[in-house]
Amino acid sequence: MSPRRDRRARSAPRNGARKPYTRPNRAGQASRDALYKRLSAGDPRSEQDPQRRIPVGLSTSSVFPAGVEECFRLAAEIGYDGIEVMVSYPKDSQDPELLREYSERYGLPILSLHAPTLFFLQGLWGRDAWVKVERTVQIAQELGVDTVVAHPPFRWQRRYAREFVEGVAELEATYGVDIAVENMYPWRLGVRELMTYLPDHDPTDEDYAHVTVDLSHAATAGDDALEMIDRLGDRLSHLHLADGSGRTTKDEHLPPGEGNQPCAEVLRRLANRGWHGSVLLEVSTSGNADGREQILRQCLAFARHHLGHHLDEGTKGVDGSNGADVESDTP
C-alpha cells in the first residue's frame, strides 16, 4: 500500500499575499490576556445539562514510551470508552489486523487514528506527506474508524501546503472518513514567533469540514479555546483534552486542571450542546511511569464529571439515545 497523489500545483495563499515568516512574540497576546482576565475573575462554569453522553477515549501518546497494546490494556482496566491510535514507527500502530485484534481483545473501539504528520515522524512511509495522510485514512476505512486527526503542513512542505485544504476535502469525499485538522502553535524564537505552519497553525479560519481542538496547543499558541470551539460550531469534531500554562514555548500536555486552560468549561459547553464528537485524553506521562495509571484515572474522573456522566448514568447511551443499558454503547 503506497498510494501517490498526482495533483496539479495550485496558486496560494488564497488571498494572494505572502504569509510572513515571523511575527512579534506578543501577536497572540490579546487572546492570552482575555482568557487570563476571565479566569482570574472566576470564570463561571456552565450549569450542567448534558444532551449526550460524550465518549472519553485515551490516546496512545498518553502512555508513551509504552506501546499501543499497553494503552489498550490500561484504558480497559481504568474504564475509558475507546482509543486514539497515534500511527508511528512501531508496527502494531500501523497494522490494521493487529489493531483490530487489540480492539477485540480489550473490548474497546478505536475512536480515531492520528496520522504521522508530526515533525519527528517525517521519515515514516517516505517523504511524501500525502502518503502519510492517505495511508492513515485507508487504515481507518479498513477498521471502520470515522476520524483521522492530522496536523497542518509545515511551511517548507510547499506544494503539499498549497494543496492541503482542497486535498483534505478530496480525501474525505473519496474514502468517507473525516479528516479533523488540528490546531497547532507558532515556534518561538526569542522576541519573534516563527510561523511554522501553512496555511496557518489555527485551522478555524480555513475551509475544513472537520477540526480538532487541542487545549495544550491552544495554551502554547495563546489562543482562546472557548472562543475557538464556539466559532467552530459543528465543524469541531474532535477534542484533545490536556492542559497548559501558556507561559512556556513547550507543548506541555498537562493533566486537565494542572494548567490555566478552561478545560472544565469546554467540556461542559460541549456536553450541554449535545456535541457529536469524542474527547480524547492526550497528556504526557513519560516522566512518571510509576504514577501513570493514577494520572490517567484522575483525568478520566475529571472528564466524566464535567461532561456530566454522573447525571445520566443508566439513562443515556454514548450516542445520546435513551435507554437503561449504557453498556450497550460503552465497553
Side-chain angles (χ1 to χ4, degrees), residues 2 19 24 32-33 40 43 54 60 63 66 105 125 151 185 202 212 221 226 228 264 269 271 276 302-303 331:
S2 56
K19 183 176 179 180
R32 293 189 188 98
D33 289 346
S40 296
D43 195 28
I54 296 171
T60 57
V63 305
R105 180 185 308 165
W125 297 339
H151 290 181
Y185 47 88
D202 179 357
T212 295
L226 286 174
M228 291 176 74
R269 289 192 190 185
H276 64 279
F302 180 100

Side-chain angles (χ1 to χ4, degrees), residues 30 151 224 233 296:
H151 290 181
D224 186 333
L296 299 182

Side-chain angles (χ1 to χ4, degrees), residues 102-114:
Y102 293 160
S103 178
E104 293 173 353
R105 180 185 308 165
Y106 294 99
L108 286 175
I110 299 173
L111 299 173
S112 49
L113 299 179
H114 197 310

Side-chain angles (χ1 to χ4, degrees), residues 52 54-55 178 209-210 233-238 270 273-278 318:
R52 172 178 178 258
I54 296 171
D178 297 343
H210 305 95
D234 290 340
R235 292 198 299 139
L236 177 68
S237 61
H238 210 63
L270 293 178
R273 79 186 197 197
W275 180 58
H276 64 279
S278 299
V318 166

Side-chain angles (χ1 to χ4, degrees), residues 81-100:
D81 297 316
I83 297 292
E84 176 171 290
V85 176
M86 171 68 75
V87 177
S88 186
Y89 291 108
K91 293 300 182 183
D92 58 355
S93 73
Q94 49 185 279
D95 185 324
E97 292 306 316
L98 280 175
L99 292 175
R100 183 178 289 110

Side-chain angles (χ1 to χ4, degrees), residues 9 22 27 39 59 62 96 135 141 150 202 212 215 272 279-280 292:
T22 67
L39 296 176
S59 168
S62 294
R135 283 186 68 171
Q141 185 186 56
D202 179 357
T212 295
L215 298 180
N272 287 352
V279 171
L280 275 299
R292 176 176 293 136

Side-chain angles (χ1 to χ4, degrees), residues 10-328:
R10 295 173 172 83
S11 61
R14 292 185 304 171
N15 63 5
R18 179 181 294 275
K19 183 176 179 180
Y21 286 95
T22 67
R23 71 179 187 184
N25 200 12
R26 294 179 59 83
Q29 194 66 34
S31 291
R32 293 189 188 98
D33 289 346
L35 181 61
Y36 176 76
K37 288 177 182 177
R38 193 165 63 241
L39 296 176
S40 296
D43 195 28
R45 291 177 179 172
S46 299
E47 294 294 328
Q48 291 187 286
D49 183 24
Q51 301 301 301
R52 172 178 178 258
R53 191 178 188 279
I54 296 171
V56 183
L58 181 64
S59 168
T60 57
S61 63
S62 294
V63 305
F64 180 83
V68 175
E69 185 175 6
E70 176 65 4
C71 182
F72 273 91
R73 185 193 69 77
L74 276 173
E77 182 174 318
I78 295 170
Y80 281 85
D81 297 316
I83 297 292
E84 176 171 290
V85 176
M86 171 68 75
V87 177
S88 186
Y89 291 108
K91 293 300 182 183
D92 58 355
S93 73
Q94 49 185 279
D95 185 324
E97 292 306 316
L98 280 175
L99 292 175
R100 183 178 289 110
E101 179 184 327
Y102 293 160
S103 178
E104 293 173 353
R105 180 185 308 165
Y106 294 99
L108 286 175
I110 299 173
L111 299 173
S112 49
L113 299 179
H114 197 310
T117 48
L118 286 71
F119 180 77
F120 75 92
L121 293 175
Q122 289 187 88
L124 182 63
W125 297 339
R127 292 291 179 178
D128 188 333
W130 280 120
V131 171
K132 303 177 193 299
V133 178
E134 190 164 17
R135 283 186 68 171
T136 307
V137 168
Q138 290 173 335
I139 294 170
Q141 185 186 56
E142 185 173 345
L143 291 170
V145 174
D146 294 332
T147 303
V148 165
V149 177
H151 290 181
F154 296 107
R155 71 179 306 143
W156 58 79
Q157 297 172 310
R158 296 180 182 179
R159 180 172 176 177
Y160 173 60
R162 290 196 301 268
E163 300 173 343
F164 188 69
V165 178
E166 294 175 347
V168 163
E170 289 180 15
L171 284 175
E172 289 184 318
T174 298
Y175 292 100
V177 173
D178 297 343
I179 302 175
V181 181
E182 185 172 4
N183 63 307
M184 296 302 292
Y185 47 88
W187 293 0
R188 293 182 191 155
L189 302 171
V191 297
R192 304 289 293 179
E193 291 181 346
L194 178 63
M195 307 306 289
T196 314
Y197 297 95
L198 286 176
D200 197 359
H201 73 273
D202 179 357
T204 60
D205 291 329
E206 298 298 328
D207 295 330
Y208 302 117
H210 305 95
V211 173
T212 295
V213 167
D214 183 302
L215 298 180
S216 176
H217 295 174
T220 306
D223 293 329
D224 186 333
L226 286 174
E227 194 273 336
M228 291 176 74
I229 67 167
D230 288 344
R231 184 168 71 247
L232 282 167
D234 290 340
R235 292 198 299 139
L236 177 68
S237 61
H238 210 63
L239 182 78
H240 280 166
L241 179 60
D243 213 334
S245 69
R247 293 190 286 269
T248 175
T249 59
K250 296 180 180 179
D251 179 18
E252 296 171 286
H253 283 280
L254 302 174
E258 293 192 8
N260 65 9
Q261 294 303 289
C263 299
E265 177 62 9
V266 166
L267 295 175
R268 288 173 181 236
R269 289 192 190 185
L270 293 178
N272 287 352
R273 79 186 197 197
W275 180 58
H276 64 279
S278 299
V279 171
L280 275 299
L281 184 78
E282 193 179 78
V283 299
S284 175
T285 63
S286 59
N288 190 2
D290 292 339
R292 176 176 293 136
E293 182 174 339
Q294 184 59 30
I295 292 171
L296 299 182
R297 287 185 183 277
Q298 291 173 346
C299 291
L300 179 59
F302 180 100
R304 289 202 188 285
H305 175 76
H306 291 292
L307 288 171
H309 287 191
H310 60 293
L311 301 177
D312 65 352
E313 286 294 338
T315 60
K316 290 184 181 179
V318 166
D319 64 355
S321 60
N322 291 325
D325 186 7
V326 175
E327 294 303 313
S328 64

